[in-house]
Amino acid sequence: MEIIQQILFVAALGVVAWFITKRVQLISRAIKLGRPENRFDHADERLKTMLLVAFGQKKMFTNLLVGVMHFVIYAGFIIINLEILEIILDGVVGTHRLFAPYITPIYPILIDVFEVLAFGVLSVCVVFLCRRFIARVSRLQASRHRELRGWPVSDATIILTAEIFLMVAFLTWNASDSVLRDRGVGHYGELQGVVPDFLISQYLKPLFAGFGDRALVAYERAAWWLHILGILAFAIYVTYSKHLHIALGFPNVYFSDLQPKGEMQNMPEITKEVQLALGLPLSTQPDGSQANDNGEQSAEIGRFGAKDVEDLKWINLMNAYSCTECGRCTAACPANITGKKLSPRKIMMDTRDRLEDIQKGWKANGYDYKDDKSLLGDYITPEELNACTTCQACINACPININPLDIILQLRRYRVMEESQAPAAWNAMFSNIENNMAPWKFSPSDRFNWAEQVNEVKF
Amino acid sequence: MLAEEKYSVPTMADMAAAGEDPEVLFWVGCAGSFDDRYKRVTIAFVRILNHVGIKFAVLGPEEACTGDPARRAGNEFLFQMQAVSNIQVLNAYNVKKIVTACPHCFNTLKNEYPELGGRYEVIHHSQFLQGLINEGRIRVQDGQSFKGRKITFHDSCYLGRANKVYEAPRDVLSALDADLVDMKRVRANGLCCGAGGGQYFKEPEPGTKDVNVERVEEALATGADTIAVACPFCMTMMSDGVKNKNREDSVQVYDVSELIAQKQGL
Ligand code: SF4
Ligand code: SF4
């Protein structure tokens, strides 16, 4: 009996590992579609940012209450992994509470901590469900944000419900286990005197008082299996879900932008054109320095700006896979606040959807497959792009340093420079700058006329 | 008595011809040169510079748009044409230090020109004024009193979020004897006026409201009679918003430098 359970367990582990490896390969292949960009510089600054923003959850605490609640789930996730280690070893070796005899004095303390965290996670998930469906927090409502319609809302609900379910399984498992130990049933009885009652599950023991021994063992086994299989299934599910941020959030923050937020990235390939147009020596700057201090080579670039995901940088694509769909960016976006179609969260979700659609194409038709769709046009519309004020509120709001504006800007560049598709008023502004050295139609020779009034104006 | 003061605006060309070097180049910007409302800000700032005795110069007719709206709208080519030409002019005059009253010029000159070969110390006029006040070179007296008046400051994105300059304009305003009140969304969480990213130069996309109206509603909710700004585009957007709310008789929009000039009686 035991050995069958062990075999099944090892088989389950293998299947999960295989699935996850496949997904990881596919996702990293998708991210590598992006253009090269050096984000391996300034390691200490990056590490510091990651410690503060990812490990320390710094930006989550702008809303203290939500920050604390998210921290409970986060800490729970990290710390409960220790308990999962024991469960997995138990499953493989066929033992029960493997660690208990070896670390007897601290074992109950550990489990107590896990139980408190589990209870915390459970409560926070309930609160989060209430925020979505009862308090109706605006940024989480599909009725207000079309990008949430359908799958994204189900995804969030599934995750929260699954976490509640997993935590209930864990707590009742401990409770039934304690009752079996008290009754001295089989190997459970061996833990008498080794493992005491635990902090939370002790209160659940009365639930099982009426169970017969066999029913109770059945429940204990079922809860154990559900808990661990649930976690393993969750691990696969995560790779398809916005919940991928639990893994990608860390590298995403590590590789995030370090330059000032107002700086738009230079296009070295344009610098060449400009130098040609102005008759300047090529590939050096007016002051003789290199064209580009980002470290990447200004290689052959197919097009100016981005039409599809492969024109974006890999970090843009990693951003898309890391996005939690929390909508803090959209809630801060002036365009979205005032009813325009633009939503920075949708920009990130569209980019990820595009990548997932490409993956589906790969799976069905091989890696050379190309469809005739593109991010610009089929997923993101010009109307959305044109509404952006480049205010950077989205970047500031994102708890994991995602930069939706960078994608918007690259798509705008494609529209303007490759398709000459700017709004007419922008074209007028461009030609004014070109001809009059100002965005308005004034003669450049009038530029200094204000100085004549410097002694006249009365304040 | 101060109104008798004669103000002058030397150009870099004048300075170079006289073999002199200014302490700082005042980058006026397109709005500061052509926009009737913002020209008054340019003049206010120039009068302060004169009054304090700072040796400054402007480029005058040699100045051209930094290219900021072109770059943000996606026209990288046009941006770089402007940038490279401007850098040639600035470098030819061996410019070291630039002050500007436009956060867009400030951001572009400071953060985006270095990669194209233009490396300068760039400061926003609110920081410059803050420095002058801290050094005691500006003493706010003689002029208008702001006693009992409520001022709220609108953070512009390219000064605040883009470059983390939040305190300088507030410090400058606190030199007035007014009551400073903050809006609901301030500093890093400040709400855009709606003009950036090239929006100023076209109609907004369809929506439920204009951004500047939303922002002015927030400003009016503070009960302030003065909305202080530090950006030419915020200036227009806030003024239009105030008009939209029919409050132009009771609520004024001023640049921080205008308030300092008023306070000094310049
Ligand atoms: S930068 Fe653009 S997308 Fe981001 S918040 Fe501002 S307007 Fe919205
Ligand atoms: S980009 Fe950042 S703020 Fe916006 S939804 Fe994704 S995780 Fe949230």
Side-chain angles (χ1 to χ4, degrees), chain A residues 62 260-268 270-275 277-278 280 285-287 289-294 331-335 337-341 382-394 396 405 409 412-414 416-417 422-423 425-426 429-431 433-434 436-440 442-451 453-459, chain B residues 5-9 11 26 28-35 39-40 42-44 46-47 58 60-61 63-65 67 69-82 84-85 87-88 91 107 111-112 115-117 119 157-158 161-164 185 188-192 194-202 204-211 214 233 258 261-262 266:
Chain A
T62 40
K261 286 197 190 86
E263 180 187 343
M264 310 239 140
Q265 206 173 42
N266 197 42
M267 293 177 67
I270 296 274
T271 312
K272 265 190 196 154
E273 308 262 329
V274 167
Q275 283 164 338
L278 293 175
L280 297 169
Q285 293 304 316
D287 70 345
S289 71
Q290 278 303 307
N292 172 349
D293 52 37
N294 274 340
C333 172
I337 288 170
T338 56
K340 278 95 182 159
K341 286 230 171 81
E383 180 177 340
E384 294 165 65
L385 295 178
N386 288 345
C388 175
T389 71
T390 72
C391 71
Q392 311 133 52
C394 50
N396 178 68
L405 171 56
L409 177 71
R412 275 187 178 182
R413 282 173 169 170
Y414 181 82
V416 169
M417 291 190 290
W426 275 0
M429 178 259 286
F430 295 152
S431 71
I433 294 180
E434 226 172 294
N436 307 330
M437 306 300 156
W440 301 286
F442 291 110
S443 165
S445 57
D446 291 342
R447 198 177 181 96
F448 195 38
N449 289 359
W450 61 267
Q453 299 166 34
V454 76
N455 285 300
E456 289 160 19
V457 171
K458 288 244 178 306
F459 284 106
Chain B
E5 206 167 345
K6 269 278 173 227
Y7 304 105
S8 65
V9 194
T11 63
F26 173 30
V28 182
C30 300
S33 306
F34 290 118
D35 180 89
K39 275 198 260 184
R40 294 172 70 88
T42 307
I43 290 168
V46 160
R47 287 190 186 176
V58 298
E63 192 186 276
C65 178
R71 174 170 253 195
R72 263 141 272 270
N75 196 336
E76 179 73 4
F77 186 78
L78 181 54
F79 162 73
Q80 289 203 19
M81 288 293 280
Q82 293 300 117
V84 172
S85 317
I87 289 166
Q88 284 182 309
N91 288 357
N107 177 67
N111 299 321
E112 299 185 345
E115 213 164 319
L116 295 165
R119 293 187 176 76
C157 308
Y158 276 87
R161 258 191 307 272
N163 289 289
K164 297 204 173 81
R185 288 176 271 215
N189 300 320
L191 183 72
C192 179
Q199 299 304 323
Y200 187 87
F201 302 98
K202 69 169 182 53
E205 322 307 312
T208 47
K209 201 191 254 185
D210 284 346
V211 178
E214 170 88 10
F233 302 102
E258 288 179 302
Q262 285 174 14
L266 299 183

Side-chain angles (χ1 to χ4, degrees), chain A residues 322-329 345 348 394 397-400 402 404:
Chain A
S322 314
C323 174
T324 320
E325 300 171 17
C326 67
R328 287 179 171 79
C329 51
R345 167 173 55 191
M348 301 320 299
C394 50
C398 180
I400 49 174
I402 286 174

